[in-house]
Amino acid sequence: MNKKLYVKLAVTNIKNNSLMFLPYLFTCIVVIALFYTINSLVNDHALKTISGGNFTIDVMKFGSILFTVLSLFFLLYANSFIFKKRKKEIGLYNLLGLEKKHIRKLLILESSLLAFFSMLVGIAIGLVLNQVVGIAMSAMMKVPLTVSTISLLAIIKTVVTFMIIFMIIHVFNLKQIHSVRVIELMKGAQIGEREPKAKLFLAILGSILLIAGYLLSFSVKDPKLDLAEIITAIVFVVAAT
């Protein structure tokens, strides 16, 4: 198969599966826009000049890390749902004569097109959202705050971060193809979700972390001075959840 045929087939697949891809694509765009906005404000010098600005930046830096981890798991889950629905289609390609190496190339092209489009649109929306958030923060803090229009550092960080996330998602898809037989791929979309099994140890650990997180949050007197306690409490609650 030549490159033009791969590209044509990848574009056709995205169009034919648009009902599945659009919610996933919309989710990617929103997540990328929010990620860019957070990191753009973190790197903005104007925020450092106002009262409480450094504290806000510290909180947003932690929020950026937490947001990255949550984005990875959220997009992995959304992707696994789409891939499950497409297993029959991929199995059919295999039956029609496409080898797994051809299917891998096709998935690489599909993932690259979706990643490029979502990052392009997400950053574009993030540029606008950054200005809106800057105006809102200026109104809430009652201080003049002019955020930069474009943050090159935030763009680079956003592109690199989500390239890594999309690569992890793609590796997950390749692993699914490599480890599953054709007959299992053909029946993949018909297999229902298994009922999750309760695990006593994780339930007890989650309860302890949740209680500890809330107790720690109640002990905070001054958010500016007790930033470490706030971050620890957030980590405990998120981990427990």
Side-chain angles (χ1 to χ4, degrees):
M1 290 178 67
N2 56 45
K3 292 183 179 180
K4 289 184 179 180
L5 187 57
Y6 276 120
V7 174
K8 185 177 180 180
L9 191 56
V11 172
T12 302
N13 286 343
I14 293 173
K15 287 181 179 179
N16 292 339
N17 295 289
S18 58
L19 289 177
M20 283 191 296
F21 279 124
L22 280 177
Y24 174 72
L25 198 60
F26 177 77
T27 302
C28 291
I29 290 171
V30 171
V31 169
I32 291 170
L34 292 173
F35 184 86
Y36 169 81
T37 302
I38 293 172
N39 284 278
S40 179
L41 291 171
V42 165
N43 297 320
D44 202 291
H45 295 290
L47 194 59
K48 297 177 182 179
T49 60
I50 64 174
S51 177
N54 289 325
F55 169 74
T56 304
I57 289 173
D58 289 337
V59 173
M60 292 179 74
K61 281 181 179 178
F62 171 74
S64 175
I65 298 172
L66 184 62
F67 191 77
T68 303
V69 176
L70 293 177
S71 297
L72 173 61
F73 285 106
F74 186 68
L75 293 180
L76 267 173
Y77 178 79
N79 171 79
S80 66
F81 175 79
I82 293 176
F83 191 81
K84 177 181 170 62
K85 295 294 183 183
R86 295 192 64 199
K87 278 186 176 181
K88 186 176 181 179
E89 175 191 342
I90 294 170
L92 186 59
Y93 283 144
N94 207 184
L95 286 177
L96 290 175
L98 284 182
E99 298 178 19
K100 286 188 176 181
K101 64 179 182 180
H102 298 138
I103 297 174
R104 284 197 294 267
K105 289 180 180 179
L106 184 60
L107 289 179
I108 288 173
L109 268 175
E110 289 179 7
S111 300
S112 299
L113 289 171
L114 291 171
F116 176 77
F117 181 78
S118 59
M119 282 194 284
L120 185 66
V121 177
I123 291 174
I125 294 175
L127 292 173
V128 178
L129 186 61
N130 182 49
Q131 298 299 310
V132 174
V133 172
I135 294 171
M137 290 179 68
S138 179
M140 286 190 296
M141 295 180 176
K142 297 181 180 180
V143 293
L145 179 63
T146 305
V147 297
S148 58
T149 306
I150 299 176
S151 173
L152 184 59
L153 187 61
I155 291 176
I156 294 173
K157 187 174 181 180
T158 302
V159 171
V160 171
T161 300
F162 281 91
M163 278 183 65
I164 294 172
I165 288 177
F166 286 127
M167 284 175 64
I168 293 172
I169 291 172
H170 181 65
V171 169
F172 171 81
N173 290 343
L174 293 183
K175 184 180 177 182
Q176 292 290 312
I177 293 176
H178 181 73
S179 61
V180 179
R181 293 177 297 175
V182 179
I183 190 65
E184 292 175 347
L185 285 172
M186 295 296 292
K187 294 181 178 180
Q190 301 173 0
I191 300 173
E193 295 290 342
R194 295 179 181 178
E195 183 180 351
K197 295 181 180 179
K199 296 182 179 179
L200 182 61
F201 173 74
L202 290 179
I204 295 173
L205 180 61
S207 300
I208 293 172
L209 288 174
L210 191 65
I211 294 171
Y214 278 112
L215 289 176
L216 197 59
S217 66
F218 292 145
S219 67
V220 174
K221 302 298 181 182
D222 188 345
K224 293 183 180 180
L225 298 177
D226 301 330
L227 181 61
E229 285 80 359
I230 294 175
I231 292 176
T232 304
I234 294 173
V235 170
F236 278 1
V237 172
V238 170
T241 305

